[in-house]
Amino acid sequence: MAPQTVLITGCSTGIGFATALMLAKDKLTRFKVYATMRNLESRANLEKEAGSTLNKTLFIRELDVTKDPTIKSVVDEILRDNGRIDVLVNNAGYMALDAIDQKSVEWCQVMMDTNYWGVVRTTNAVLPAMKKQMSGRIINVSSMAGVRGAPFFATYSATKFAMEGYSESIAPVLRDGYNIKVSIVEPGPVKTELANKVLGTPFEEQAKDFDPILRDVFVTGVKRMASAMASVTQSADEIAKLHMDIILSETPHLRYQTTENLTKTAALKFRDPTTDFLLDMLKQSRYASPAE
């Protein structure tokens, strides 16, 4: 049986990096992975870790989710060489503190362009092929900040809320119409270079130009959050393993939290943390809650 072709965005570090390697190194050779990144100058570590899988089951390509031509180029190559695209993992994105009104609207728009519109662009690029083949998997990497807004992460939370709403909306249509299954993955804090960069800069320095009240709330609150996060941080490999499990599942859930504690957190907001009931919305006679 031919390996599944997998397109992953944001593979220079972190979750994308770990997922690409785990799938490419699968002992059963079930995957052919196109690991993409915005800047190929960042590929050295991935090439090194890929080892003998490089250009065999792991192919590194340039793809910027904010630029349609780069997306089209990779999708066209995959289809030309393989005839199909089986899996898309929308992982590219970034996180930053905004402290409510301390960043410009333009700054916020740039994050939304990557974290949300980047997902839309790549999804739209693979859908024609997936629809034609009447199968596919799309995994959208969200965050618990997409379930519950996190203080001082307003823009980041908004981008993830947008991704989740988009995913909920398209999931039942794609599943029932084309056998394309969409899943949302909601990690908590993950040990990555991105997280280290955001939380590694002294908070006092980040807040030096804030008004006194905001500076005090910011420094005190973010320090407390960072301390709490340190005790529950996961590895990128743990998230990568979940991605593999979702791809291999015959009936993947719409939502996945990545730890039991995160599921309990989500349960405070969702009565059914998998939110599978949303997949049957098209079959309901009216827009009803699961208890109705």
Side-chain angles (χ1 to χ4, degrees):
M1 185 175 179
Q4 295 190 59
T5 58
V6 183
L7 170 59
I8 309 174
T9 65
C11 294
S12 60
T13 61
I15 293 172
F17 182 96
T19 301
L21 289 174
M22 187 169 291
L23 296 180
K25 292 185 176 183
D26 175 54
K27 292 182 179 179
L28 299 178
T29 321
R30 290 173 289 186
F31 310 102
K32 184 176 180 181
V33 181
Y34 288 80
T36 70
M37 58 190 67
R38 181 172 57 88
N39 186 348
L40 284 180
E41 292 181 2
S42 303
R43 70 182 184 271
N45 286 340
L46 184 55
E47 286 183 334
K48 178 181 177 182
E49 293 298 323
S52 62
T53 69
L54 188 62
N55 296 322
K56 293 180 181 176
T57 57
L58 179 68
F59 301 84
I60 302 173
R61 297 292 184 264
E62 181 178 338
L63 188 155
D64 184 337
V65 298
T66 68
K67 297 178 180 178
D68 285 307
T70 70
I71 301 170
K72 184 178 186 301
S73 175
V74 176
V75 169
D76 286 350
E77 178 187 349
I78 296 173
L79 292 174
R80 182 177 65 250
D81 293 348
N82 304 278
R84 60 188 296 115
I85 296 178
D86 297 295
V87 182
L88 168 65
V89 181
N90 280 311
N91 170 74
Y94 68 98
M95 174 179 65
L97 294 159
D98 56 22
I100 307 173
D101 59 350
Q102 299 304 301
K103 300 293 186 181
S104 68
V105 170
E106 290 75 20
W107 182 92
C108 299
Q109 288 172 330
V110 169
M111 185 180 289
M112 183 67 77
D113 195 33
T114 296
N115 291 8
Y116 171 64
W117 287 113
V119 170
V120 175
R121 290 187 188 97
T122 51
T123 299
N124 285 348
V126 304
L127 276 181
M130 287 187 175
K131 286 180 175 181
K132 184 177 180 180
Q133 68 201 31
M134 292 294 288
S135 67
R137 299 293 176 91
I138 298 173
I139 298 175
N140 291 333
V141 182
S142 181
S143 165
M144 281 306 291
V147 177
R148 187 176 67 179
F152 305 113
F153 287 95
T155 303
Y156 179 72
S157 292
T159 66
K160 295 303 185 180
F161 268 73
M163 176 202 283
E164 298 226 354
Y166 169 75
S167 302
E168 284 184 8
S169 179
I170 68 174
V173 180
L174 294 179
R175 187 196 68 173
D176 293 351
Y178 303 97
N179 190 35
I180 300 168
K181 297 166 185 177
V182 176
S183 294
I184 307 165
V185 174
E186 298 167 337
V190 178
K191 188 177 181 180
T192 64
E193 291 181 22
L194 175 62
N196 291 339
K197 183 178 180 180
V198 172
L199 300 176
T201 304
F203 302 129
E204 291 84 358
E205 180 181 332
Q206 295 188 50
K208 63 182 179 181
D209 296 325
F210 296 179
D211 67 71
I213 294 175
L214 182 59
R215 181 168 59 247
D216 181 60
V217 174
F218 179 87
V219 172
T220 302
V222 177
K223 280 185 176 180
R224 186 180 295 117
M225 288 169 57
S227 177
M229 289 165 63
S231 64
V232 294
T233 297
Q234 293 182 271
S235 70
D237 284 340
E238 291 177 77
I239 314 303
K241 178 60 168 63
L242 176 58
H243 289 167
M244 179 183 282
D245 291 342
I246 294 170
I247 293 169
L248 295 174
S249 172
E250 289 296 324
T251 55
H253 293 307
L254 175 57
R255 268 190 174 83
Y256 290 84
Q257 298 80 40
T258 59
T259 69
E260 183 178 348
N261 283 338
L262 292 175
T263 297
K264 291 178 180 178
T265 298
L268 297 175
K269 194 163 185 176
F270 299 124
R271 275 179 267 184
D272 172 9
T274 70
T275 61
D276 284 349
F277 69 89
L278 291 171
L279 293 171
D280 294 320
M281 195 173 297
L282 288 177
K283 299 176 182 178
Q284 296 171 358
S285 59
R286 60 193 178 92
Y287 192 91
S289 70
E292 292 179 345

